[in-house]
Amino acid sequence: MKNIGILGCGWLGYPLAKELLKDAYSVYGSTTRQSKIEKLKNDGIKASKIIFFEDKIEGDINTFLKSLDIVIISIPPRLRGKIRENFIKKMTLLHTEIKKTKCSKIIFISSTAVYGNVSGTVTEESKTQPNTESGKQLLVCEKLFLEDPELQSTIIRFGGLIGPDRHPVTMLSGKENLTNGHALVNLIHLQDCISIIKTSISKGWWNVIMNAVHPLHPTKKEYYTQEALLRDIKPPKYITCNKVNSKKVDSTWLINVKKYHFNTSIYS
């Protein structure tokens, strides 16, 4: 039995933890909320309250890490709105703590934001040139783990996450004069996220970088109009724009090399 720790039992980490339990793994999970501890424990997850700050880690991170064979880092950087943070400092503190333990296998959840706002097809071989603060900090954190020769780190660059109670169309509903209708969507469903992580563990996919984006790439106008109508909400309205910046992220390593089959459609 492998001991797997999930730092960040949120929208992705919590259902992932429950799926790993079904496969007879011993699962440790962290949350920032004391109120969630009992819920995690009732599900069979060995729960701890751990909060990362730029200058410290609140909670017993050493006890959390010391029994683990694999640690999954599913902590999104908080870089939007009024709350801004130095995610790199947080991950540097975590890296230091991991190095104090026997745990050497890392799965770091990243994002296709590391490629930046480019046009054309993007693969794992493409140049990383992030243009957002989130993308820039994620790329530095990827390298922090990847370039440590004592660790076996796998980086999963997910596209836009969709699933239960989470879909971009709810935020786009009713918006007008949008100019990116001909841009392509790069999305992935929660169930495929979980499946890819589980397969990485069971197949031993270590020391790799992989894109994880569903192979269907409709235009935003086509896709979000259809999704809005299915939900009986007002579709967003797009206007014609001559300048179209269209990025298509291919999961080349997963599909072409490992023959992974995406199981869950991005369509509702």
Side-chain angles (χ1 to χ4, degrees):
M1 178 186 290
K2 290 181 179 177
N3 295 329
I4 299 177
I6 301 174
L7 285 165
C9 283
W11 186 84
L12 169 61
Y14 178 49
L16 171 62
K18 292 195 287 185
E19 287 298 315
L20 289 170
L21 284 170
K22 293 178 183 178
D23 291 342
Y25 292 112
S26 181
V27 180
Y28 296 69
S30 82
T31 177
T32 59
R33 305 202 311 268
Q34 184 64 38
S35 59
K36 199 173 179 179
I37 293 290
E38 198 64 29
K39 180 180 180 180
L40 296 178
K41 288 183 176 179
N42 287 339
D43 285 318
I45 301 164
K46 298 176 175 64
S48 300
K49 182 183 176 183
I50 298 173
I51 306 175
F52 290 86
F53 297 95
E54 294 178 4
D55 58 347
K56 66 177 182 177
I57 302 174
E58 184 180 289
D60 195 346
I61 187 67
N62 181 262
T63 298
F64 180 87
L65 293 170
K66 69 180 182 180
S67 300
L68 301 182
D69 300 298
I70 298 168
V71 60
I72 300 168
I73 304 169
S74 182
I75 306 172
R78 300 181 186 279
L79 297 166
R80 294 182 179 178
K82 295 181 180 180
I83 301 176
R84 300 278 176 140
E85 67 176 12
N86 189 318
F87 188 66
I88 298 169
K89 286 185 177 180
K90 291 184 175 185
M91 291 300 99
T92 300
L93 287 175
L94 172 58
H95 176 260
T96 299
E97 292 300 323
I98 290 173
K99 297 285 286 184
K100 296 176 184 178
T101 71
K102 66 178 180 64
C103 183
S104 63
K105 290 184 169 67
I106 312 296
I107 294 178
F108 182 80
I109 304 302
S110 188
S111 164
T112 55
V114 299
Y115 294 113
N117 192 28
V118 298
S119 292
T121 300
V122 173
T123 73
E124 290 88 352
E125 301 300 319
S126 299
K127 181 180 179 180
T128 51
Q129 42 190 345
N131 63 305
T132 63
E133 188 60 30
S134 176
K136 291 173 183 177
Q137 292 203 36
L138 280 170
L139 185 59
V140 173
C141 295
E142 285 184 6
K143 293 178 179 179
L144 175 68
F145 294 102
L146 272 175
E147 294 178 359
D148 187 331
E150 295 180 350
L151 298 177
Q152 298 182 67
S153 298
T154 287
I155 309 298
I156 305 180
R157 294 170 175 166
F158 284 127
L161 304 176
I162 61 172
D165 304 317
R166 179 170 179 160
H167 201 288
V169 75
T170 58
M171 297 177 63
L172 292 170
S173 175
K175 291 192 174 183
E176 299 184 355
N177 300 320
L178 299 176
T179 60
N180 60 348
H182 288 85
L184 306 179
V185 301
N186 294 283
L187 302 172
I188 182 170
H189 194 278
L190 173 64
Q191 291 306 316
D192 269 312
C193 294
I194 292 172
S195 174
I196 289 166
I197 295 170
K198 287 175 61 179
T199 305
S200 296
I201 294 169
S202 63
K203 300 288 187 182
W205 292 346
W206 303 110
N207 298 315
V208 297
I209 297 174
M210 70 180 84
N211 293 337
V213 180
H214 196 280
L216 288 180
H217 299 273
T219 66
K220 291 187 175 183
K221 180 179 181 180
E222 171 198 335
Y223 179 72
Y224 290 122
T225 299
Q226 179 173 328
E227 288 297 304
L229 293 174
L230 285 170
R231 289 167 170 76
D232 198 26
I233 59 177
K234 193 174 182 181
K237 291 184 178 180
Y238 294 89
I239 60 174
T240 302
C241 182
N242 293 328
K243 186 178 180 181
V244 177
N245 187 356
S246 188
K247 176 172 68 177
K248 175 175 173 282
V249 182
D250 277 357
S251 303
T252 305
W253 189 84
L254 273 172
I255 295 174
N256 294 353
V257 178
K258 292 301 179 182
K259 310 301 180 186
Y260 178 82
H261 176 71
F262 283 76
N263 300 302
T264 308
S265 176
I266 59 171
Y267 284 99
S268 298

